[in-house]
Amino acid sequence: MLSENIKAVRKSKGLSQEELAIKLNVVRQTISKWEQGLSVPDADMLISISEVFETSVSTLLGETVAETKADDLSVISEKLEVINLQLAHGIAVRQKIIHWLFLSLCAVTAAVFAALILLNSPYLGWDFSQPETAVAGTMFHAFEWLFVRAAPLVLTGSIVGACFTRQNV
């Protein structure tokens, strides 16, 4: 196999045995013995031969190298299509999750607003002479004050976000 490959590649490159021998610094008879299968080059010489022929050692030893064909390109394009579909599915799932998070934020904001309206600021009737009651009443009032001012922005933003992340069917 090696002998046939050396001869075939030498002829395809348009080299005579003498020219190849000069490039490899061996005598012509050595090239003839290799091509007849009477001897084989050592590993270093195989590397030198592959460099002269501009081919791989595995090709000289008879290993076939698969070349890219149109069929291979179709296989690659099919794999890319599968990857694109997976990416699109992942994006759709993330969009759905974000949409439901916005809707949940709307519901939580509305529920807290309803709870604050039903409680009607109970801390206003508390006795603030005790330190624990004073701290709890102040914290409750601060939460209520901040929530009443921030909730409209949060609710509006979550409604807008839910509208933008809604999937068109």
Side-chain angles (χ1 to χ4, degrees):
M1 183 64 90
L2 175 63
S3 58
E4 296 167 3
N5 290 340
I6 291 175
K7 186 174 185 177
V9 174
R10 176 184 61 80
K11 287 186 176 184
S12 71
K13 297 289 183 179
L15 295 173
S16 66
Q17 286 183 345
E18 185 68 33
E19 292 170 328
L20 180 59
I22 291 170
K23 289 185 178 200
L24 295 174
N25 295 323
V26 295
V27 294
R28 185 199 57 77
Q29 288 80 3
T30 303
I31 304 295
S32 177
K33 287 181 181 179
W34 290 344
E35 291 181 356
Q36 292 175 13
L38 300 175
S39 68
V40 293
D42 63 4
D44 291 333
M45 188 55 70
L46 271 176
I47 294 171
S48 298
I49 295 170
S50 70
E51 289 172 354
V52 168
F53 288 156
E54 297 175 345
T55 186
S56 66
V57 174
S58 59
T59 302
L60 289 174
L61 293 173
E63 199 172 293
T64 57
V65 179
E67 295 181 17
T68 304
K69 299 176 185 170
D71 294 337
D72 294 338
L73 293 176
S74 66
V75 169
I76 291 171
S77 66
E78 288 173 7
K79 288 180 182 179
L80 286 174
E81 184 178 353
V82 169
I83 290 170
N84 283 335
L85 289 173
Q86 290 172 343
L87 288 173
H89 177 71
I91 289 170
V93 167
R94 279 191 297 275
Q95 184 177 4
K96 186 179 275 188
I97 290 170
I98 292 171
H99 177 74
W100 283 104
L101 286 174
F102 279 130
L103 289 177
S104 300
L105 186 59
C106 288
V108 168
T109 305
V112 172
F113 240 131
L116 287 176
I117 289 171
L118 289 176
L119 290 176
N120 197 20
S121 303
Y123 59 87
L124 294 177
W126 291 355
D127 180 19
F128 282 90
S129 62
Q130 296 176 350
E132 293 85 14
T133 309
V135 170
T138 304
M139 288 176 52
F140 192 71
H141 178 69
F143 169 75
E144 185 179 70
W145 187 86
L146 286 172
F147 184 80
V148 167
R149 277 146 184 81
L153 298 174
V154 171
L155 187 61
T156 304
S158 59
I159 290 171
V160 168
C163 289
F164 278 127
T165 58
R166 182 178 53 122
Q167 291 180 347
N168 295 331
V169 178

